[in-house]
Amino acid sequence: MENLEGRLTKLALKGDQRAFAELVELYKDKIFHLGYRMLNNRHEAEDIVQETFLRVYRNLDRYDDNQKFSTWIYRIATNLCIDRLRKRRPTYSLDAELGDQEGTDGYSLIPSDNVTPESELILSETQRTIYEAIDELPVKYRSVMILRYLQDLSLQEISDVLNMPVTTIKTRVHRGREFLRKKLGPRL
């Protein structure tokens, strides 16, 4: 995949519109999902997709082909989402102490994937509850949790996307899980 992305970016830099269209096709759904999970608004997520690809197009000459294209594009999209969240909502207290209990992540709370109407309803309600709890996370934890558990990025990839040390990412994942555990404990 990385080799394909490298070729497509080089072709797009030379003005090949089909190559850029292929990059858009590869990432539009992933960027939309990221935007929707972070902003919880379909229209804003669609705007994020458009703005992300506009920025990619304008700054393609700045792309460093020594890094993964996915890291670069996720960084752009994540930063756009964070900017929008900062404008939209008051900031949360980021200094609030969270407990140090060790436990399970959000995915372990979702029941197995048996395909019955009842299990699909339970899964849907559980996912909705988890997504609502993720939406209540402070922005710095929300972005990390979405990239880690919904976009399935590694800690190193998240570190690259957010331009932060891996140790900071680990701390934010841990604190985000603690926040979710406290929030979801009574509900699930």
Side-chain angles (χ1 to χ4, degrees):
M1 181 75 135
E2 288 178 45
N3 199 9
L4 170 65
E5 292 167 352
R7 286 194 313 256
L8 290 174
T9 55
K10 287 176 185 173
L11 289 171
L13 266 171
K14 294 178 182 174
D16 186 337
Q17 291 181 355
R18 281 184 278 173
F20 188 76
E22 284 188 51
L23 285 171
V24 170
E25 196 59 38
L26 281 172
Y27 282 97
K28 69 178 182 178
D29 292 337
K30 294 174 184 176
I31 299 300
F32 175 81
H33 183 68
L34 170 70
Y36 186 76
R37 289 303 339 131
M38 287 188 74
L39 301 169
N40 201 25
N41 182 299
R42 181 177 193 80
H43 297 293
E44 285 186 310
E46 290 168 352
D47 289 346
I48 291 298
V49 172
Q50 288 181 352
E51 183 64 27
T52 298
F53 285 110
L54 281 173
R55 291 204 181 173
V56 166
Y57 187 77
R58 279 191 233 130
N59 298 300
L60 202 53
D61 58 330
R62 294 183 184 167
Y63 168 64
D64 176 11
D65 57 1
N66 292 326
Q67 69 173 324
K68 290 172 74 173
F69 184 79
S70 60
T71 300
W72 186 61
I73 197 167
Y74 277 129
R75 178 182 295 155
I76 292 169
T78 301
N79 287 340
L80 288 169
C81 289
I82 290 171
D83 288 346
R84 218 170 253 239
L85 285 169
R86 284 182 181 146
K87 291 176 186 172
R88 183 168 74 180
R89 294 184 183 171
T91 57
Y92 294 97
S93 171
L94 301 178
D95 297 324
E97 285 293 319
L98 297 175
D100 289 331
Q101 299 173 9
E102 190 58 39
T104 58
D105 60 67
Y107 277 120
S108 66
L109 301 174
I110 299 173
S112 66
D113 201 17
N114 297 334
V115 186
T116 64
E118 180 185 13
S119 65
E120 285 183 9
L121 176 64
I122 291 170
L123 176 63
S124 173
E125 288 176 356
T126 303
Q127 285 176 333
R128 182 185 48 76
T129 302
I130 291 170
Y131 290 160
E132 286 172 359
I134 288 172
D135 288 341
E136 295 174 17
L137 283 169
V139 173
K140 73 179 185 179
Y141 300 128
R142 183 183 323 163
S143 60
V144 169
M145 297 301 281
I146 288 171
L147 291 170
R148 178 72 179 116
Y149 294 108
L150 301 181
Q151 295 296 321
D152 203 27
L153 296 182
S154 71
L155 295 174
Q156 182 61 54
E157 289 172 322
I158 297 169
S159 170
D160 294 341
V161 167
L162 298 177
N163 200 23
M164 292 179 191
V166 173
T167 54
T168 303
I169 301 302
K170 286 181 183 179
T171 301
R172 289 186 179 182
V173 166
H174 176 73
R175 289 183 179 165
R177 284 194 320 229
E178 287 300 315
F179 182 91
L180 290 176
R181 187 175 297 109
K182 287 179 181 178
K183 217 45 165 158
L184 295 171
R187 292 194 233 173
L188 296 178

Short mmCIF file of all heavy atoms in Angstrom, two decimals, residues 72-133:
data_model
loop_
_atom_site.label_atom_id
_atom_site.label_comp_id
_atom_site.label_asym_id
_atom_site.label_seq_id
_atom_site.Cartn_x
_atom_site.Cartn_y
_atom_site.Cartn_z
N TRP A 72 0.63 11.27 7.49
CA TRP A 72 0.56 12.67 7.09
C TRP A 72 -0.89 13.13 6.94
O TRP A 72 -1.29 14.17 7.46
CB TRP A 72 1.34 12.87 5.79
CG TRP A 72 1.47 14.28 5.35
CD1 TRP A 72 2.07 15.32 6.03
CD2 TRP A 72 1.00 14.85 4.12
NE1 TRP A 72 2.01 16.47 5.28
CE2 TRP A 72 1.36 16.21 4.11
CE3 TRP A 72 0.33 14.32 3.03
CZ2 TRP A 72 1.06 17.05 3.05
CZ3 TRP A 72 0.03 15.16 1.98
CH2 TRP A 72 0.40 16.52 1.99
N ILE A 73 -1.70 12.34 6.25
CA ILE A 73 -3.09 12.75 6.00
C ILE A 73 -3.92 12.69 7.28
O ILE A 73 -4.77 13.55 7.52
CB ILE A 73 -3.73 11.95 4.84
CG1 ILE A 73 -4.99 12.67 4.34
CG2 ILE A 73 -4.01 10.53 5.22
CD1 ILE A 73 -5.52 12.14 3.03
N TYR A 74 -3.67 11.69 8.14
CA TYR A 74 -4.38 11.63 9.42
C TYR A 74 -4.01 12.82 10.31
O TYR A 74 -4.84 13.33 11.04
CB TYR A 74 -4.08 10.33 10.17
CG TYR A 74 -4.91 9.15 9.74
CD1 TYR A 74 -4.32 7.94 9.40
CD2 TYR A 74 -6.30 9.23 9.68
CE1 TYR A 74 -5.08 6.86 9.02
CE2 TYR A 74 -7.07 8.15 9.29
CZ TYR A 74 -6.46 6.97 8.96
OH TYR A 74 -7.22 5.89 8.59
N ARG A 75 -2.76 13.25 10.25
CA ARG A 75 -2.34 14.42 11.04
C ARG A 75 -3.12 15.65 10.59
O ARG A 75 -3.62 16.41 11.42
CB ARG A 75 -0.84 14.67 10.91
CG ARG A 75 -0.41 15.92 11.70
CD ARG A 75 1.05 16.23 11.53
NE ARG A 75 1.84 15.16 12.09
CZ ARG A 75 3.07 14.88 11.72
NH1 ARG A 75 3.66 15.58 10.78
NH2 ARG A 75 3.74 13.89 12.29
N ILE A 76 -3.24 15.83 9.29
CA ILE A 76 -3.97 16.99 8.77
C ILE A 76 -5.43 16.93 9.22
O ILE A 76 -5.98 17.91 9.75
CB ILE A 76 -3.88 17.03 7.22
CG1 ILE A 76 -2.44 17.35 6.79
CG2 ILE A 76 -4.86 18.05 6.64
CD1 ILE A 76 -2.18 17.17 5.31
N ALA A 77 -6.07 15.77 9.03
CA ALA A 77 -7.49 15.63 9.39
C ALA A 77 -7.71 15.79 10.89
O ALA A 77 -8.66 16.47 11.32
CB ALA A 77 -8.01 14.27 8.92
N THR A 78 -6.85 15.19 11.68
CA THR A 78 -7.00 15.28 13.14
C THR A 78 -6.85 16.72 13.60
O THR A 78 -7.63 17.20 14.43
CB THR A 78 -5.95 14.39 13.84
OG1 THR A 78 -6.15 13.04 13.41
CG2 THR A 78 -6.09 14.46 15.35
N ASN A 79 -5.87 17.42 13.07
CA ASN A 79 -5.67 18.82 13.46
C ASN A 79 -6.87 19.68 13.06
O ASN A 79 -7.28 20.57 13.81
CB ASN A 79 -4.39 19.38 12.85
CG ASN A 79 -3.15 18.83 13.53
OD1 ASN A 79 -3.21 18.34 14.65
ND2 ASN A 79 -2.02 18.88 12.85
N LEU A 80 -7.44 19.42 11.89
CA LEU A 80 -8.63 20.16 11.48
C LEU A 80 -9.80 19.90 12.43
O LEU A 80 -10.54 20.82 12.80
CB LEU A 80 -9.02 19.79 10.04
CG LEU A 80 -8.12 20.33 8.94
CD1 LEU A 80 -8.45 19.67 7.60
CD2 LEU A 80 -8.24 21.84 8.83
N CYS A 81 -9.97 18.64 12.84
CA CYS A 81 -11.04 18.29 13.78
C CYS A 81 -10.83 18.98 15.12
O CYS A 81 -11.76 19.53 15.71
CB CYS A 81 -11.11 16.78 13.98
SG CYS A 81 -11.74 15.87 12.56
N ILE A 82 -9.61 18.93 15.61
CA ILE A 82 -9.31 19.56 16.90
C ILE A 82 -9.56 21.06 16.84
O ILE A 82 -10.15 21.63 17.76
CB ILE A 82 -7.86 19.24 17.34
CG1 ILE A 82 -7.76 17.75 17.72
CG2 ILE A 82 -7.41 20.12 18.50
CD1 ILE A 82 -6.34 17.26 17.95
N ASP A 83 -9.15 21.69 15.74
CA ASP A 83 -9.41 23.13 15.58
C ASP A 83 -10.91 23.42 15.62
O ASP A 83 -11.36 24.37 16.25
CB ASP A 83 -8.83 23.65 14.27
CG ASP A 83 -7.31 23.72 14.29
OD1 ASP A 83 -6.72 23.63 15.39
OD2 ASP A 83 -6.72 23.85 13.20
N ARG A 84 -11.68 22.58 14.96
CA ARG A 84 -13.13 22.78 14.93
C ARG A 84 -13.75 22.58 16.31
O ARG A 84 -14.64 23.32 16.71
CB ARG A 84 -13.76 21.81 13.94
CG ARG A 84 -14.90 22.44 13.18
CD ARG A 84 -15.33 21.56 12.07
NE ARG A 84 -14.90 22.10 10.81
CZ ARG A 84 -15.74 22.41 9.85
NH1 ARG A 84 -17.03 22.22 10.00
NH2 ARG A 84 -15.31 22.89 8.72
N LEU A 85 -13.26 21.59 17.03
CA LEU A 85 -13.77 21.34 18.38
C LEU A 85 -13.44 22.50 19.32
O LEU A 85 -14.26 22.87 20.16
CB LEU A 85 -13.19 20.04 18.95
CG LEU A 85 -13.77 18.76 18.36
CD1 LEU A 85 -12.94 17.56 18.77
CD2 LEU A 85 -15.22 18.58 18.79
N ARG A 86 -12.28 23.05 19.18
CA ARG A 86 -11.88 24.18 20.03
C ARG A 86 -12.78 25.39 19.77
O ARG A 86 -13.11 26.14 20.70
CB ARG A 86 -10.43 24.57 19.77
CG ARG A 86 -9.46 23.61 20.40
CD ARG A 86 -8.04 24.06 20.15
NE ARG A 86 -7.12 23.10 20.75
CZ ARG A 86 -5.95 22.79 20.24
NH1 ARG A 86 -5.53 23.38 19.14
NH2 ARG A 86 -5.19 21.92 20.84
N LYS A 87 -13.16 25.60 18.54
CA LYS A 87 -14.02 26.73 18.20
C LYS A 87 -15.46 26.48 18.64
O LYS A 87 -16.18 27.42 18.96
CB LYS A 87 -14.01 26.98 16.69
CG LYS A 87 -12.69 27.50 16.19
CD LYS A 87 -12.70 27.63 14.69
CE LYS A 87 -11.33 28.02 14.16
NZ LYS A 87 -11.26 27.97 12.71
N ARG A 88 -15.86 25.22 18.64
CA ARG A 88 -17.25 24.88 18.88
C ARG A 88 -17.61 24.79 20.36
O ARG A 88 -18.71 25.14 20.75
CB ARG A 88 -17.53 23.54 18.20
CG ARG A 88 -18.96 23.09 18.30
CD ARG A 88 -19.25 21.95 17.41
NE ARG A 88 -18.67 20.72 17.92
CZ ARG A 88 -18.78 19.56 17.33
NH1 ARG A 88 -19.40 19.47 16.19
NH2 ARG A 88 -18.24 18.48 17.85
N ARG A 89 -16.73 24.28 21.16
CA ARG A 89 -17.07 24.00 22.55
C ARG A 89 -16.09 24.66 23.50
O ARG A 89 -14.94 24.87 23.17
CB ARG A 89 -17.00 22.50 22.81
CG ARG A 89 -18.02 21.70 22.07
CD ARG A 89 -17.92 20.27 22.46
NE ARG A 89 -18.86 19.47 21.69
CZ ARG A 89 -18.89 18.17 21.70
NH1 ARG A 89 -18.02 17.50 22.42
NH2 ARG A 89 -19.77 17.52 20.99
N PRO A 90 -16.56 24.90 24.72
CA PRO A 90 -15.60 25.36 25.72
C PRO A 90 -14.63 24.23 26.04
O PRO A 90 -14.98 23.05 25.91
CB PRO A 90 -16.48 25.68 26.94
CG PRO A 90 -17.73 24.91 26.74
CD PRO A 90 -17.90 24.77 25.26
N THR A 91 -13.46 24.59 26.45
CA THR A 91 -12.45 23.57 26.75
C THR A 91 -12.75 22.94 28.10
O THR A 91 -13.30 23.56 28.99
CB THR A 91 -11.04 24.18 26.77
OG1 THR A 91 -11.02 25.22 27.73
CG2 THR A 91 -10.64 24.70 25.41
N TYR A 92 -12.37 21.69 28.23
CA TYR A 92 -12.52 20.97 29.48
C TYR A 92 -11.27 21.18 30.32
O TYR A 92 -10.21 21.50 29.79
CB TYR A 92 -12.68 19.47 29.20
CG TYR A 92 -13.95 19.14 28.48
CD1 TYR A 92 -13.96 18.97 27.10
CD2 TYR A 92 -15.13 18.98 29.17
CE1 TYR A 92 -15.13 18.67 26.43
CE2 TYR A 92 -16.30 18.67 28.51
CZ TYR A 92 -16.29 18.51 27.14
OH TYR A 92 -17.45 18.20 26.50
N SER A 93 -11.40 20.97 31.58
CA SER A 93 -10.23 21.04 32.43
C SER A 93 -9.36 19.83 32.13
O SER A 93 -9.75 18.69 32.38
CB SER A 93 -10.64 21.03 33.91
OG SER A 93 -9.50 20.88 34.71
N LEU A 94 -8.19 20.09 31.61
CA LEU A 94 -7.30 18.99 31.25
C LEU A 94 -6.42 18.58 32.41
O LEU A 94 -5.69 17.60 32.32
CB LEU A 94 -6.43 19.41 30.05
CG LEU A 94 -7.23 19.79 28.81
CD1 LEU A 94 -6.29 20.22 27.69
CD2 LEU A 94 -8.10 18.64 28.35
N ASP A 95 -6.50 19.31 33.52
CA ASP A 95 -5.68 18.99 34.68
C ASP A 95 -6.41 18.11 35.68
O ASP A 95 -5.84 17.77 36.72
CB ASP A 95 -5.26 20.29 35.39
CG ASP A 95 -4.39 21.16 34.50
OD1 ASP A 95 -3.59 20.60 33.73
OD2 ASP A 95 -4.53 22.39 34.57
N ALA A 96 -7.64 17.77 35.39
CA ALA A 96 -8.42 16.96 36.32
C ALA A 96 -7.74 15.62 36.53
O ALA A 96 -7.32 14.96 35.58
CB ALA A 96 -9.83 16.75 35.79
N GLU A 97 -7.62 15.22 37.78
CA GLU A 97 -6.99 13.95 38.11
C GLU A 97 -7.93 12.80 37.75
O GLU A 97 -9.12 12.84 38.02
CB GLU A 97 -6.67 13.89 39.61
CG GLU A 97 -5.49 14.71 40.02
CD GLU A 97 -4.18 14.18 39.46
OE1 GLU A 97 -3.98 12.95 39.45
OE2 GLU A 97 -3.37 15.00 39.01
N LEU A 98 -7.36 11.78 37.15
CA LEU A 98 -8.12 10.57 36.85
C LEU A 98 -7.50 9.44 37.64
O LEU A 98 -6.30 9.41 37.88
CB LEU A 98 -8.05 10.26 35.35
CG LEU A 98 -8.67 11.32 34.45
CD1 LEU A 98 -8.44 10.97 33.00
CD2 LEU A 98 -10.16 11.43 34.71
N GLY A 99 -8.31 8.48 38.03
CA GLY A 99 -7.81 7.35 38.83
C GLY A 99 -6.80 6.51 38.09
O GLY A 99 -6.68 6.55 36.87
N ASP A 100 -6.06 5.73 38.83
CA ASP A 100 -5.03 4.87 38.24
C ASP A 100 -5.42 3.40 38.25
O ASP A 100 -4.57 2.52 38.36
CB ASP A 100 -3.70 5.04 39.01
CG ASP A 100 -3.07 6.39 38.73
OD1 ASP A 100 -3.31 6.92 37.64
OD2 ASP A 100 -2.36 6.89 39.61
N GLN A 101 -6.71 3.11 38.11
CA GLN A 101 -7.15 1.72 38.08
C GLN A 101 -6.82 1.12 36.72
O GLN A 101 -7.00 1.74 35.69
CB GLN A 101 -8.65 1.64 38.30
CG GLN A 101 -9.10 2.19 39.63
CD GLN A 101 -10.61 2.23 39.72
OE1 GLN A 101 -11.31 1.70 38.86
NE2 GLN A 101 -11.12 2.86 40.75
N GLU A 102 -6.34 -0.11 36.73
CA GLU A 102 -6.03 -0.80 35.48
C GLU A 102 -7.26 -1.61 35.09
O GLU A 102 -7.92 -2.19 35.95
CB GLU A 102 -4.82 -1.72 35.67
CG GLU A 102 -4.28 -2.29 34.39
CD GLU A 102 -3.86 -1.22 33.38
OE1 GLU A 102 -3.29 -0.19 33.79
OE2 GLU A 102 -4.14 -1.42 32.19
N GLY A 103 -7.57 -1.67 33.81
CA GLY A 103 -8.76 -2.41 33.41
C GLY A 103 -8.77 -2.70 31.93
O GLY A 103 -7.74 -2.74 31.28
N THR A 104 -9.97 -2.89 31.41
CA THR A 104 -10.13 -3.27 30.01
C THR A 104 -10.39 -2.05 29.15
O THR A 104 -10.76 -1.00 29.64
CB THR A 104 -11.31 -4.25 29.88
OG1 THR A 104 -12.47 -3.60 30.39
CG2 THR A 104 -11.06 -5.53 30.65
N ASP A 105 -10.20 -2.22 27.83
CA ASP A 105 -10.48 -1.11 26.92
C ASP A 105 -11.95 -1.19 26.47
O ASP A 105 -12.65 -2.13 26.80
CB ASP A 105 -9.54 -1.13 25.71
CG ASP A 105 -9.64 -2.39 24.91
OD1 ASP A 105 -10.70 -2.63 24.29
OD2 ASP A 105 -8.68 -3.16 24.89
N GLY A 106 -12.36 -0.19 25.69
CA GLY A 106 -13.75 -0.10 25.25
C GLY A 106 -14.21 -1.27 24.41
O GLY A 106 -15.36 -1.68 24.49
N TYR A 107 -13.31 -1.84 23.61
CA TYR A 107 -13.72 -2.95 22.77
C TYR A 107 -14.08 -4.19 23.57
O TYR A 107 -14.91 -4.99 23.16
CB TYR A 107 -12.61 -3.31 21.78
CG TYR A 107 -12.62 -2.43 20.56
CD1 TYR A 107 -11.54 -1.66 20.23
CD2 TYR A 107 -13.74 -2.37 19.74
CE1 TYR A 107 -11.55 -0.84 19.11
CE2 TYR A 107 -13.76 -1.56 18.63
CZ TYR A 107 -12.67 -0.80 18.32
OH TYR A 107 -12.69 0.01 17.22
N SER A 108 -13.49 -4.37 24.72
CA SER A 108 -13.81 -5.55 25.52
C SER A 108 -15.22 -5.46 26.10
O SER A 108 -15.76 -6.46 26.56
CB SER A 108 -12.78 -5.73 26.64
OG SER A 108 -12.88 -4.66 27.55
N LEU A 109 -15.80 -4.28 26.08
CA LEU A 109 -17.16 -4.11 26.58
C LEU A 109 -18.22 -4.49 25.56
O LEU A 109 -19.38 -4.67 25.89
CB LEU A 109 -17.37 -2.66 27.02
CG LEU A 109 -16.44 -2.15 28.11
CD1 LEU A 109 -16.67 -0.65 28.33
CD2 LEU A 109 -16.65 -2.91 29.40
N ILE A 110 -17.83 -4.63 24.30
CA ILE A 110 -18.77 -4.96 23.24
C ILE A 110 -18.92 -6.48 23.19
O ILE A 110 -17.95 -7.21 23.14
CB ILE A 110 -18.26 -4.43 21.88
CG1 ILE A 110 -18.15 -2.90 21.95
CG2 ILE A 110 -19.20 -4.85 20.75
CD1 ILE A 110 -17.51 -2.29 20.72
N PRO A 111 -20.13 -6.96 23.23
CA PRO A 111 -20.35 -8.42 23.21
C PRO A 111 -19.89 -9.05 21.89
O PRO A 111 -19.68 -8.37 20.91
CB PRO A 111 -21.86 -8.57 23.40
CG PRO A 111 -22.45 -7.24 23.12
CD PRO A 111 -21.38 -6.21 23.27
N SER A 112 -19.77 -10.38 21.89
CA SER A 112 -19.32 -11.08 20.69
C SER A 112 -20.27 -10.81 19.52
O SER A 112 -21.40 -10.39 19.71
CB SER A 112 -19.24 -12.58 20.95
OG SER A 112 -20.53 -13.09 21.19
N ASP A 113 -19.81 -11.12 18.32
CA ASP A 113 -20.51 -10.73 17.11
C ASP A 113 -21.44 -11.83 16.60
O ASP A 113 -21.34 -12.26 15.46
CB ASP A 113 -19.48 -10.35 16.04
CG ASP A 113 -20.09 -9.47 14.96
OD1 ASP A 113 -21.16 -8.90 15.18
OD2 ASP A 113 -19.46 -9.37 13.89
N ASN A 114 -22.36 -12.29 17.44
CA ASN A 114 -23.36 -13.25 17.00
C ASN A 114 -24.39 -12.50 16.16
O ASN A 114 -24.82 -11.42 16.53
CB ASN A 114 -24.07 -13.91 18.18
CG ASN A 114 -23.12 -14.72 19.02
OD1 ASN A 114 -22.11 -15.19 18.53
ND2 ASN A 114 -23.44 -14.87 20.30
N VAL A 115 -24.77 -13.10 15.05
CA VAL A 115 -25.65 -12.40 14.13
C VAL A 115 -27.10 -12.79 14.38
O VAL A 115 -27.68 -13.60 13.68
CB VAL A 115 -25.25 -12.70 12.66
CG1 VAL A 115 -26.07 -11.84 11.70
CG2 VAL A 115 -23.77 -12.45 12.45
N THR A 116 -27.66 -12.20 15.43
CA THR A 116 -29.08 -12.34 15.71
C THR A 116 -29.62 -10.92 15.87
O THR A 116 -28.88 -10.01 16.20
CB THR A 116 -29.34 -13.14 17.00
OG1 THR A 116 -28.82 -12.40 18.10
CG2 THR A 116 -28.70 -14.52 16.95
N PRO A 117 -30.89 -10.73 15.64
CA PRO A 117 -31.44 -9.39 15.80
C PRO A 117 -31.19 -8.83 17.20
O PRO A 117 -30.86 -7.67 17.37
CB PRO A 117 -32.94 -9.57 15.54
CG PRO A 117 -33.02 -10.77 14.66
CD PRO A 117 -31.88 -11.66 15.09
N GLU A 118 -31.34 -9.69 18.21
CA GLU A 118 -31.12 -9.24 19.59
C GLU A 118 -29.66 -8.82 19.80
O GLU A 118 -29.39 -7.77 20.38
CB GLU A 118 -31.49 -10.34 20.58
CG GLU A 118 -31.27 -9.93 22.02
CD GLU A 118 -31.54 -11.06 22.99
OE1 GLU A 118 -31.65 -12.22 22.56
OE2 GLU A 118 -31.62 -10.77 24.19
N SER A 119 -28.73 -9.64 19.31
CA SER A 119 -27.31 -9.31 19.51
C SER A 119 -26.92 -8.06 18.71
O SER A 119 -26.10 -7.28 19.18
CB SER A 119 -26.42 -10.49 19.14
OG SER A 119 -26.51 -10.77 17.76
N GLU A 120 -27.52 -7.89 17.53
CA GLU A 120 -27.23 -6.68 16.76
C GLU A 120 -27.76 -5.44 17.47
O GLU A 120 -27.10 -4.40 17.48
CB GLU A 120 -27.84 -6.77 15.35
CG GLU A 120 -27.06 -7.69 14.44
CD GLU A 120 -27.62 -7.74 13.03
OE1 GLU A 120 -28.52 -6.93 12.70
OE2 GLU A 120 -27.16 -8.59 12.26
N LEU A 121 -28.93 -5.54 18.09
CA LEU A 121 -29.49 -4.42 18.84
C LEU A 121 -28.61 -4.10 20.05
O LEU A 121 -28.29 -2.94 20.31
CB LEU A 121 -30.92 -4.73 19.30
CG LEU A 121 -31.58 -3.67 20.18
CD1 LEU A 121 -31.75 -2.37 19.39
CD2 LEU A 121 -32.91 -4.16 20.70
N ILE A 122 -28.19 -5.13 20.76
CA ILE A 122 -27.33 -4.93 21.93
C ILE A 122 -26.01 -4.31 21.49
O ILE A 122 -25.53 -3.36 22.12
CB ILE A 122 -27.10 -6.26 22.68
CG1 ILE A 122 -28.41 -6.71 23.35
CG2 ILE A 122 -25.99 -6.12 23.71
CD1 ILE A 122 -28.36 -8.11 23.91
N LEU A 123 -25.44 -4.82 20.42
CA LEU A 123 -24.19 -4.27 19.91
C LEU A 123 -24.36 -2.81 19.51
O LEU A 123 -23.54 -1.96 19.85
CB LEU A 123 -23.69 -5.09 18.71
CG LEU A 123 -22.44 -4.59 18.01
CD1 LEU A 123 -21.24 -4.62 18.97
CD2 LEU A 123 -22.14 -5.42 16.77
N SER A 124 -25.44 -2.52 18.81
CA SER A 124 -25.71 -1.15 18.37
C SER A 124 -25.86 -0.21 19.57
O SER A 124 -25.30 0.89 19.58
CB SER A 124 -26.97 -1.13 17.51
OG SER A 124 -27.33 0.18 17.21
N GLU A 125 -26.61 -0.63 20.57
CA GLU A 125 -26.80 0.21 21.76
C GLU A 125 -25.49 0.38 22.53
O GLU A 125 -25.19 1.46 23.02
CB GLU A 125 -27.87 -0.40 22.66
CG GLU A 125 -29.27 -0.26 22.09
CD GLU A 125 -30.33 -0.94 22.95
OE1 GLU A 125 -29.97 -1.59 23.96
OE2 GLU A 125 -31.51 -0.82 22.59
N THR A 126 -24.71 -0.70 22.63
CA THR A 126 -23.43 -0.62 23.33
C THR A 126 -22.48 0.31 22.60
O THR A 126 -21.82 1.15 23.22
CB THR A 126 -22.80 -2.03 23.44
OG1 THR A 126 -23.72 -2.90 24.12
CG2 THR A 126 -21.50 -1.98 24.22
N GLN A 127 -22.42 0.18 21.28
CA GLN A 127 -21.55 1.07 20.50
C GLN A 127 -21.99 2.52 20.65
O GLN A 127 -21.15 3.40 20.82
CB GLN A 127 -21.56 0.67 19.02
CG GLN A 127 -20.76 -0.58 18.73
CD GLN A 127 -20.87 -1.00 17.28
OE1 GLN A 127 -21.86 -0.72 16.60
NE2 GLN A 127 -19.86 -1.69 16.80
N ARG A 128 -23.28 2.76 20.61
CA ARG A 128 -23.79 4.11 20.76
C ARG A 128 -23.39 4.67 22.13
O ARG A 128 -22.93 5.81 22.25
CB ARG A 128 -25.31 4.14 20.60
CG ARG A 128 -25.91 5.54 20.70
CD ARG A 128 -27.43 5.54 20.64
NE ARG A 128 -28.07 4.58 21.52
CZ ARG A 128 -28.20 4.73 22.84
NH1 ARG A 128 -27.72 5.79 23.44
NH2 ARG A 128 -28.81 3.81 23.56
N THR A 129 -23.51 3.85 23.16
CA THR A 129 -23.14 4.28 24.50
C THR A 129 -21.65 4.60 24.58
O THR A 129 -21.25 5.62 25.15
CB THR A 129 -23.50 3.18 25.53
OG1 THR A 129 -24.91 2.92 25.45
CG2 THR A 129 -23.15 3.61 26.94
N ILE A 130 -20.83 3.75 23.98
CA ILE A 130 -19.38 3.97 23.99
C ILE A 130 -19.04 5.22 23.19
O ILE A 130 -18.24 6.05 23.62
CB ILE A 130 -18.64 2.73 23.45
CG1 ILE A 130 -18.77 1.58 24.45
CG2 ILE A 130 -17.17 3.05 23.18
CD1 ILE A 130 -18.29 0.24 23.93
N TYR A 131 -19.65 5.39 22.02
CA TYR A 131 -19.39 6.57 21.20
C TYR A 131 -19.80 7.85 21.94
O TYR A 131 -19.11 8.86 21.86
CB TYR A 131 -20.11 6.49 19.86
CG TYR A 131 -19.56 5.43 18.91
CD1 TYR A 131 -20.33 4.96 17.87
CD2 TYR A 131 -18.28 4.92 19.07
CE1 TYR A 131 -19.83 4.00 17.00
CE2 TYR A 131 -17.78 3.96 18.21
CZ TYR A 131 -18.56 3.50 17.17
OH TYR A 131 -18.06 2.57 16.32
N GLU A 132 -20.93 7.79 22.65
CA GLU A 132 -21.35 8.96 23.41
C GLU A 132 -20.33 9.28 24.50
O GLU A 132 -20.02 10.45 24.74
CB GLU A 132 -22.73 8.72 24.04
CG GLU A 132 -23.86 8.77 23.04
CD GLU A 132 -25.21 8.35 23.63
OE1 GLU A 132 -25.26 7.99 24.83
OE2 GLU A 132 -26.20 8.37 22.88
N ALA A 133 -19.82 8.23 25.15
CA ALA A 133 -18.80 8.45 26.19
C ALA A 133 -17.52 9.01 25.58
O ALA A 133 -16.88 9.90 26.15
CB ALA A 133 -18.52 7.15 26.94
#
